[in-house]
Amino acid sequence: MMNVVLLGAPGAGKGTQAATLTKQLGVAHVASGDLFRRALSEQTELGLLAKSYMEKGELVPDEVTIDMVLERIRQPDCAAGVLFDGFPRTLSQAKALDERLAGEGKTIDKAIYIEVPEEALVKRLSGRWICRDCQTPYHEVSSPPKVPGRCDVCGGELYQRADDTEETVRERLKVFFSQTLPIIDYYENQGKLLRVDGDRDIDEVSSSISRLLQTERA
Ligand code: ADP
Ligand code: ADP
Ligand code: ZN
């Protein structure tokens, strides 16, 4: 049973690493951005509310975000542990998550911070393609799909996110440095933070993360 938070700027590789890591840990993958995008495509009230924030690259307000994620982790697939991706992104989200877990006798075991320099992030996001069906990320240069436009995992159609334009990306990075960086200290002060150099090949980053988690668990 492990609850792990994946931290990193937009484009750091959270979604990419989550795919292998959830399998290794045997936990559910809970990505707040994916939950918002699903709500948006289903045109639910939540989706319509989130839309205006996402388009501008701003954070969706804490209250709705917290409710959505805490609701999601009630599902039975989360009983064996969760890999949180893109949540928490603010101190109040981190604290709300801790409170909920504490109420169930659980805790966040580790927070993994994938560090990548800003210029690399912009390049990654401008070449990112995502599967419409299973959300697997690809990159037109660094990790292209085997068949152009099609997902290797499920055959789904690949698309580029409307918020992956340079202008919105710059705004999202600003938001990350001002609103999300403080939670790095929050986990560091709890002795839970593991830092990983994310500016390397996908496989090298994966093995570093596995090694770090193994050392910590041993
Ligand atoms: P995040 O979930 O943190 O926003 P993603 O996992 O979606 O990031 O990755 C952003 C983009 O960068 C995607 O196009 C992905 O294929 C690519 N990418 C991920 N990890 C690496 C890496 N280690 N090296 C080069 N490109 C990467
Ligand atoms: P990335 O990791 O590429 O930045 P995400 O898919 O995690 O993107 O998030 C996309 C957008 O969804 C964010 O820019 C924001 O508007 C919204 N969002 C996702 N997670 C959160 C969160 N925890 N708090 C507030 N807004 C969020
Ligand atoms: Zn797919």
Side-chain angles (χ1 to χ4, degrees), residues 131 134 151 154:
C131 174
C134 75
C151 176
C154 77

